[in-house]
Amino acid sequence: MSENTTLAAPSLRSKTLNVLETIAIGAAGGGLSYWAQLPGGLITGAMVAVAAAGLAGRKMGLPPPLSHIVLMALGVSLGSMVSPQMIHNLSSYPVTIGLLAVATFCATFGSSIYLQRVHGWDRTSALLAGSPGALSQIIMLATERKANVPGIAVVQIMRVIILTSAVPLLLAATGMMAHGPLPSRGPEATPLVLLELSAVAIAASLLLRLINFPASWMFGAMLGSSVLHGSGLVEGTLPQWAYLPALVGIGTLIGSRFGAIKARTILSYLGAALGSFAVAIAISAVFVVGIILTTPVRLADLVVAFSPGAMDAMMALALTLHIDPVFVGAHHLSRFIYVSIVTPGIVHWFGRSPDDLDD
């Protein structure tokens, strides 16, 4: 028994050191970018630093309990921005959500055609790589269909990295957001309100997890916080000591996903990732321009809502850039559900069967 304990101790110690190293690198990258007053710097700085360390051979990652805390803190903070006026504006979302579904469909097929014609990918792999968001479901489906899993992972994660880094810079460069530190979020919640928010966030997250709701930790916390704030039962936002680490944490999570892929694999699929990304963005931009010309929706809200990136990353950007979180959340959740439900059917009808892929 003592021998087993001795053998297990280095493994536990190694894992602990890896987590501490990941946190330290993420905090350093986020802090440096925040000090330089880069738009969305806490997220993008942590993301780039952790991704670079992973590519350099360091083992980066956060354990699930810590990841869940980060996502719930983000959800609570997003929910605290909800007001009765925002809830009233929900009635205008069906049109843009419907157009988002069409844009997602077109972007998926556009990227797929590019990957097939230019890079010689098979139809199934190209369709899965071109489908924006729902990475876990996409990878599971790719494995089941014997598709090009490494290539799909690189294309999907590169899209997230580029959008998370570029969207804040784009909005700042075009004057749609201020270039500088994080904007004021209002008064901080009292300790009693924080306790109430935490209890409701945990309960709502666990409930959504029981019914297999997508992104349950973040959306459960956001839902609970939104109800409490939107109804006027509580007031106040997360204190800085919780808010800032949550932003660094989400960047760290994204960076660790990218850093887990070998540099050789990334380089071999870099052209496919960049090209398919350009096609998807061009198609999405057409829809954004059309909506801007025909509706009163703010351009900054549309840019983040229609960006085909990871749901957690785009929600975090909405928080740091003072984008309408209800609008962005409704659209990214809709896209997540659409991709999760529709993609298997698209692959079944337009992709190749597993037997064909064995040939």
mmCIF file with all atom_site columns, all heavy atoms in Angstrom, residues 92-110:
data_model
loop_
_atom_site.group_PDB
_atom_site.id
_atom_site.type_symbol
_atom_site.label_atom_id
_atom_site.label_alt_id
_atom_site.label_comp_id
_atom_site.label_asym_id
_atom_site.label_entity_id
_atom_site.label_seq_id
_atom_site.pdbx_PDB_ins_code
_atom_site.Cartn_x
_atom_site.Cartn_y
_atom_site.Cartn_z
_atom_site.occupancy
_atom_site.B_iso_or_equiv
_atom_site.pdbx_formal_charge
_atom_site.auth_seq_id
_atom_site.auth_comp_id
_atom_site.auth_asym_id
_atom_site.auth_atom_id
_atom_site.pdbx_PDB_model_num
ATOM 1   N N   . SER A 1 92  ? -37.481 41.051 -30.642 1.00 0.00 ? 92  SER A N   1
ATOM 2   C CA  . SER A 1 92  ? -36.935 41.376 -31.960 1.00 0.00 ? 92  SER A CA  1
ATOM 3   C C   . SER A 1 92  ? -35.923 40.343 -32.449 1.00 0.00 ? 92  SER A C   1
ATOM 4   O O   . SER A 1 92  ? -35.360 40.487 -33.520 1.00 0.00 ? 92  SER A O   1
ATOM 5   C CB  . SER A 1 92  ? -36.263 42.758 -31.917 1.00 0.00 ? 92  SER A CB  1
ATOM 6   O OG  . SER A 1 92  ? -35.147 42.743 -31.023 1.00 0.00 ? 92  SER A OG  1
ATOM 7   N N   . TYR A 1 93  ? -35.671 39.265 -31.672 1.00 0.00 ? 93  TYR A N   1
ATOM 8   C CA  . TYR A 1 93  ? -34.617 38.328 -32.017 1.00 0.00 ? 93  TYR A CA  1
ATOM 9   C C   . TYR A 1 93  ? -34.978 37.252 -33.044 1.00 0.00 ? 93  TYR A C   1
ATOM 10  O O   . TYR A 1 93  ? -34.075 36.756 -33.723 1.00 0.00 ? 93  TYR A O   1
ATOM 11  C CB  . TYR A 1 93  ? -34.089 37.621 -30.754 1.00 0.00 ? 93  TYR A CB  1
ATOM 12  C CG  . TYR A 1 93  ? -33.404 38.535 -29.768 1.00 0.00 ? 93  TYR A CG  1
ATOM 13  C CD1 . TYR A 1 93  ? -33.058 38.084 -28.507 1.00 0.00 ? 93  TYR A CD1 1
ATOM 14  C CD2 . TYR A 1 93  ? -33.092 39.851 -30.086 1.00 0.00 ? 93  TYR A CD2 1
ATOM 15  C CE1 . TYR A 1 93  ? -32.423 38.906 -27.586 1.00 0.00 ? 93  TYR A CE1 1
ATOM 16  C CE2 . TYR A 1 93  ? -32.477 40.687 -29.177 1.00 0.00 ? 93  TYR A CE2 1
ATOM 17  C CZ  . TYR A 1 93  ? -32.141 40.199 -27.922 1.00 0.00 ? 93  TYR A CZ  1
ATOM 18  O OH  . TYR A 1 93  ? -31.528 41.018 -27.030 1.00 0.00 ? 93  TYR A OH  1
ATOM 19  N N   . PRO A 1 94  ? -36.232 36.829 -33.172 1.00 0.00 ? 94  PRO A N   1
ATOM 20  C CA  . PRO A 1 94  ? -36.511 35.708 -34.084 1.00 0.00 ? 94  PRO A CA  1
ATOM 21  C C   . PRO A 1 94  ? -35.998 35.913 -35.504 1.00 0.00 ? 94  PRO A C   1
ATOM 22  O O   . PRO A 1 94  ? -35.515 34.963 -36.130 1.00 0.00 ? 94  PRO A O   1
ATOM 23  C CB  . PRO A 1 94  ? -38.041 35.605 -34.053 1.00 0.00 ? 94  PRO A CB  1
ATOM 24  C CG  . PRO A 1 94  ? -38.414 36.119 -32.708 1.00 0.00 ? 94  PRO A CG  1
ATOM 25  C CD  . PRO A 1 94  ? -37.436 37.218 -32.426 1.00 0.00 ? 94  PRO A CD  1
ATOM 26  N N   . VAL A 1 95  ? -36.090 37.125 -36.028 1.00 0.00 ? 95  VAL A N   1
ATOM 27  C CA  . VAL A 1 95  ? -35.653 37.382 -37.404 1.00 0.00 ? 95  VAL A CA  1
ATOM 28  C C   . VAL A 1 95  ? -34.153 37.158 -37.542 1.00 0.00 ? 95  VAL A C   1
ATOM 29  O O   . VAL A 1 95  ? -33.682 36.452 -38.445 1.00 0.00 ? 95  VAL A O   1
ATOM 30  C CB  . VAL A 1 95  ? -36.024 38.810 -37.844 1.00 0.00 ? 95  VAL A CB  1
ATOM 31  C CG1 . VAL A 1 95  ? -35.402 39.125 -39.199 1.00 0.00 ? 95  VAL A CG1 1
ATOM 32  C CG2 . VAL A 1 95  ? -37.530 38.978 -37.900 1.00 0.00 ? 95  VAL A CG2 1
ATOM 33  N N   . THR A 1 96  ? -33.371 37.756 -36.638 1.00 0.00 ? 96  THR A N   1
ATOM 34  C CA  . THR A 1 96  ? -31.917 37.625 -36.729 1.00 0.00 ? 96  THR A CA  1
ATOM 35  C C   . THR A 1 96  ? -31.460 36.203 -36.405 1.00 0.00 ? 96  THR A C   1
ATOM 36  O O   . THR A 1 96  ? -30.485 35.712 -36.977 1.00 0.00 ? 96  THR A O   1
ATOM 37  C CB  . THR A 1 96  ? -31.212 38.632 -35.805 1.00 0.00 ? 96  THR A CB  1
ATOM 38  O OG1 . THR A 1 96  ? -31.762 38.524 -34.480 1.00 0.00 ? 96  THR A OG1 1
ATOM 39  C CG2 . THR A 1 96  ? -31.404 40.044 -36.305 1.00 0.00 ? 96  THR A CG2 1
ATOM 40  N N   . ILE A 1 97  ? -32.160 35.517 -35.500 1.00 0.00 ? 97  ILE A N   1
ATOM 41  C CA  . ILE A 1 97  ? -31.814 34.124 -35.198 1.00 0.00 ? 97  ILE A CA  1
ATOM 42  C C   . ILE A 1 97  ? -32.082 33.237 -36.417 1.00 0.00 ? 97  ILE A C   1
ATOM 43  O O   . ILE A 1 97  ? -31.294 32.347 -36.742 1.00 0.00 ? 97  ILE A O   1
ATOM 44  C CB  . ILE A 1 97  ? -32.596 33.626 -33.967 1.00 0.00 ? 97  ILE A CB  1
ATOM 45  C CG1 . ILE A 1 97  ? -32.022 34.263 -32.700 1.00 0.00 ? 97  ILE A CG1 1
ATOM 46  C CG2 . ILE A 1 97  ? -32.547 32.103 -33.863 1.00 0.00 ? 97  ILE A CG2 1
ATOM 47  C CD1 . ILE A 1 97  ? -32.761 33.909 -31.431 1.00 0.00 ? 97  ILE A CD1 1
ATOM 48  N N   . GLY A 1 98  ? -33.186 33.502 -37.119 1.00 0.00 ? 98  GLY A N   1
ATOM 49  C CA  . GLY A 1 98  ? -33.478 32.749 -38.335 1.00 0.00 ? 98  GLY A CA  1
ATOM 50  C C   . GLY A 1 98  ? -32.427 32.987 -39.406 1.00 0.00 ? 98  GLY A C   1
ATOM 51  O O   . GLY A 1 98  ? -31.978 32.040 -40.075 1.00 0.00 ? 98  GLY A O   1
ATOM 52  N N   . LEU A 1 99  ? -32.016 34.238 -39.552 1.00 0.00 ? 99  LEU A N   1
ATOM 53  C CA  . LEU A 1 99  ? -30.975 34.552 -40.532 1.00 0.00 ? 99  LEU A CA  1
ATOM 54  C C   . LEU A 1 99  ? -29.629 33.948 -40.124 1.00 0.00 ? 99  LEU A C   1
ATOM 55  O O   . LEU A 1 99  ? -28.830 33.565 -40.984 1.00 0.00 ? 99  LEU A O   1
ATOM 56  C CB  . LEU A 1 99  ? -30.848 36.071 -40.684 1.00 0.00 ? 99  LEU A CB  1
ATOM 57  C CG  . LEU A 1 99  ? -32.031 36.753 -41.389 1.00 0.00 ? 99  LEU A CG  1
ATOM 58  C CD1 . LEU A 1 99  ? -31.882 38.266 -41.335 1.00 0.00 ? 99  LEU A CD1 1
ATOM 59  C CD2 . LEU A 1 99  ? -32.131 36.287 -42.838 1.00 0.00 ? 99  LEU A CD2 1
ATOM 60  N N   . LEU A 1 100 ? -29.392 33.859 -38.822 1.00 0.00 ? 100 LEU A N   1
ATOM 61  C CA  . LEU A 1 100 ? -28.163 33.223 -38.351 1.00 0.00 ? 100 LEU A CA  1
ATOM 62  C C   . LEU A 1 100 ? -28.130 31.753 -38.753 1.00 0.00 ? 100 LEU A C   1
ATOM 63  O O   . LEU A 1 100 ? -27.087 31.231 -39.146 1.00 0.00 ? 100 LEU A O   1
ATOM 64  C CB  . LEU A 1 100 ? -28.056 33.353 -36.830 1.00 0.00 ? 100 LEU A CB  1
ATOM 65  C CG  . LEU A 1 100 ? -26.867 32.628 -36.178 1.00 0.00 ? 100 LEU A CG  1
ATOM 66  C CD1 . LEU A 1 100 ? -25.547 33.196 -36.687 1.00 0.00 ? 100 LEU A CD1 1
ATOM 67  C CD2 . LEU A 1 100 ? -26.943 32.737 -34.660 1.00 0.00 ? 100 LEU A CD2 1
ATOM 68  N N   . ALA A 1 101 ? -29.280 31.078 -38.671 1.00 0.00 ? 101 ALA A N   1
ATOM 69  C CA  . ALA A 1 101 ? -29.347 29.670 -39.079 1.00 0.00 ? 101 ALA A CA  1
ATOM 70  C C   . ALA A 1 101 ? -29.013 29.528 -40.561 1.00 0.00 ? 101 ALA A C   1
ATOM 71  O O   . ALA A 1 101 ? -28.259 28.630 -40.959 1.00 0.00 ? 101 ALA A O   1
ATOM 72  C CB  . ALA A 1 101 ? -30.736 29.111 -38.783 1.00 0.00 ? 101 ALA A CB  1
ATOM 73  N N   . VAL A 1 102 ? -29.554 30.440 -41.384 1.00 0.00 ? 102 VAL A N   1
ATOM 74  C CA  . VAL A 1 102 ? -29.265 30.406 -42.821 1.00 0.00 ? 102 VAL A CA  1
ATOM 75  C C   . VAL A 1 102 ? -27.793 30.692 -43.072 1.00 0.00 ? 102 VAL A C   1
ATOM 76  O O   . VAL A 1 102 ? -27.131 30.033 -43.894 1.00 0.00 ? 102 VAL A O   1
ATOM 77  C CB  . VAL A 1 102 ? -30.152 31.412 -43.577 1.00 0.00 ? 102 VAL A CB  1
ATOM 78  C CG1 . VAL A 1 102 ? -29.814 31.400 -45.067 1.00 0.00 ? 102 VAL A CG1 1
ATOM 79  C CG2 . VAL A 1 102 ? -31.628 31.099 -43.370 1.00 0.00 ? 102 VAL A CG2 1
ATOM 80  N N   . ALA A 1 103 ? -27.247 31.691 -42.345 1.00 0.00 ? 103 ALA A N   1
ATOM 81  C CA  . ALA A 1 103 ? -25.831 32.044 -42.495 1.00 0.00 ? 103 ALA A CA  1
ATOM 82  C C   . ALA A 1 103 ? -24.941 30.873 -42.101 1.00 0.00 ? 103 ALA A C   1
ATOM 83  O O   . ALA A 1 103 ? -23.926 30.592 -42.765 1.00 0.00 ? 103 ALA A O   1
ATOM 84  C CB  . ALA A 1 103 ? -25.502 33.270 -41.648 1.00 0.00 ? 103 ALA A CB  1
ATOM 85  N N   . THR A 1 104 ? -25.295 30.174 -41.021 1.00 0.00 ? 104 THR A N   1
ATOM 86  C CA  . THR A 1 104 ? -24.518 29.016 -40.576 1.00 0.00 ? 104 THR A CA  1
ATOM 87  C C   . THR A 1 104 ? -24.529 27.915 -41.622 1.00 0.00 ? 104 THR A C   1
ATOM 88  O O   . THR A 1 104 ? -23.494 27.299 -41.915 1.00 0.00 ? 104 THR A O   1
ATOM 89  C CB  . THR A 1 104 ? -25.083 28.486 -39.245 1.00 0.00 ? 104 THR A CB  1
ATOM 90  O OG1 . THR A 1 104 ? -25.022 29.517 -38.256 1.00 0.00 ? 104 THR A OG1 1
ATOM 91  C CG2 . THR A 1 104 ? -24.303 27.278 -38.763 1.00 0.00 ? 104 THR A CG2 1
ATOM 92  N N   . PHE A 1 105 ? -25.700 27.663 -42.200 1.00 0.00 ? 105 PHE A N   1
ATOM 93  C CA  . PHE A 1 105 ? -25.830 26.649 -43.249 1.00 0.00 ? 105 PHE A CA  1
ATOM 94  C C   . PHE A 1 105 ? -24.950 27.005 -44.449 1.00 0.00 ? 105 PHE A C   1
ATOM 95  O O   . PHE A 1 105 ? -24.204 26.159 -44.958 1.00 0.00 ? 105 PHE A O   1
ATOM 96  C CB  . PHE A 1 105 ? -27.295 26.548 -43.674 1.00 0.00 ? 105 PHE A CB  1
ATOM 97  C CG  . PHE A 1 105 ? -27.571 25.502 -44.715 1.00 0.00 ? 105 PHE A CG  1
ATOM 98  C CD1 . PHE A 1 105 ? -27.794 24.179 -44.350 1.00 0.00 ? 105 PHE A CD1 1
ATOM 99  C CD2 . PHE A 1 105 ? -27.600 25.824 -46.056 1.00 0.00 ? 105 PHE A CD2 1
ATOM 100 C CE1 . PHE A 1 105 ? -28.050 23.206 -45.305 1.00 0.00 ? 105 PHE A CE1 1
ATOM 101 C CE2 . PHE A 1 105 ? -27.855 24.864 -47.021 1.00 0.00 ? 105 PHE A CE2 1
ATOM 102 C CZ  . PHE A 1 105 ? -28.078 23.543 -46.639 1.00 0.00 ? 105 PHE A CZ  1
ATOM 103 N N   . CYS A 1 106 ? -25.028 28.257 -44.890 1.00 0.00 ? 106 CYS A N   1
ATOM 104 C CA  . CYS A 1 106 ? -24.252 28.691 -46.060 1.00 0.00 ? 106 CYS A CA  1
ATOM 105 C C   . CYS A 1 106 ? -22.755 28.667 -45.777 1.00 0.00 ? 106 CYS A C   1
ATOM 106 O O   . CYS A 1 106 ? -21.951 28.246 -46.620 1.00 0.00 ? 106 CYS A O   1
ATOM 107 C CB  . CYS A 1 106 ? -24.684 30.099 -46.480 1.00 0.00 ? 106 CYS A CB  1
ATOM 108 S SG  . CYS A 1 106 ? -26.376 30.204 -47.098 1.00 0.00 ? 106 CYS A SG  1
ATOM 109 N N   . ALA A 1 107 ? -22.360 29.113 -44.576 1.00 0.00 ? 107 ALA A N   1
ATOM 110 C CA  . ALA A 1 107 ? -20.941 29.137 -44.224 1.00 0.00 ? 107 ALA A CA  1
ATOM 111 C C   . ALA A 1 107 ? -20.381 27.720 -44.140 1.00 0.00 ? 107 ALA A C   1
ATOM 112 O O   . ALA A 1 107 ? -19.235 27.462 -44.555 1.00 0.00 ? 107 ALA A O   1
ATOM 113 C CB  . ALA A 1 107 ? -20.743 29.863 -42.898 1.00 0.00 ? 107 ALA A CB  1
ATOM 114 N N   . THR A 1 108 ? -21.172 26.796 -43.616 1.00 0.00 ? 108 THR A N   1
ATOM 115 C CA  . THR A 1 108 ? -20.735 25.406 -43.518 1.00 0.00 ? 108 THR A CA  1
ATOM 116 C C   . THR A 1 108 ? -20.458 24.819 -44.898 1.00 0.00 ? 108 THR A C   1
ATOM 117 O O   . THR A 1 108 ? -19.403 24.207 -45.138 1.00 0.00 ? 108 THR A O   1
ATOM 118 C CB  . THR A 1 108 ? -21.798 24.550 -42.797 1.00 0.00 ? 108 THR A CB  1
ATOM 119 O OG1 . THR A 1 108 ? -21.962 25.030 -41.460 1.00 0.00 ? 108 THR A OG1 1
ATOM 120 C CG2 . THR A 1 108 ? -21.394 23.084 -42.767 1.00 0.00 ? 108 THR A CG2 1
ATOM 121 N N   . PHE A 1 109 ? -21.398 25.016 -45.819 1.00 0.00 ? 109 PHE A N   1
ATOM 122 C CA  . PHE A 1 109 ? -21.217 24.468 -47.163 1.00 0.00 ? 109 PHE A CA  1
ATOM 123 C C   . PHE A 1 109 ? -20.144 25.226 -47.942 1.00 0.00 ? 109 PHE A C   1
ATOM 124 O O   . PHE A 1 109 ? -19.397 24.628 -48.722 1.00 0.00 ? 109 PHE A O   1
ATOM 125 C CB  . PHE A 1 109 ? -22.547 24.469 -47.922 1.00 0.00 ? 109 PHE A CB  1
ATOM 126 C CG  . PHE A 1 109 ? -23.365 23.240 -47.672 1.00 0.00 ? 109 PHE A CG  1
ATOM 127 C CD1 . PHE A 1 109 ? -24.263 23.195 -46.625 1.00 0.00 ? 109 PHE A CD1 1
ATOM 128 C CD2 . PHE A 1 109 ? -23.203 22.109 -48.457 1.00 0.00 ? 109 PHE A CD2 1
ATOM 129 C CE1 . PHE A 1 109 ? -25.005 22.048 -46.373 1.00 0.00 ? 109 PHE A CE1 1
ATOM 130 C CE2 . PHE A 1 109 ? -23.940 20.955 -48.208 1.00 0.00 ? 109 PHE A CE2 1
ATOM 131 C CZ  . PHE A 1 109 ? -24.840 20.922 -47.166 1.00 0.00 ? 109 PHE A CZ  1
ATOM 132 N N   . GLY A 1 110 ? -20.048 26.538 -47.732 1.00 0.00 ? 110 GLY A N   1
ATOM 133 C CA  . GLY A 1 110 ? -19.003 27.311 -48.406 1.00 0.00 ? 110 GLY A CA  1
ATOM 134 C C   . GLY A 1 110 ? -17.619 26.850 -47.992 1.00 0.00 ? 110 GLY A C   1
ATOM 135 O O   . GLY A 1 110 ? -16.736 26.618 -48.836 1.00 0.00 ? 110 GLY A O   1
#
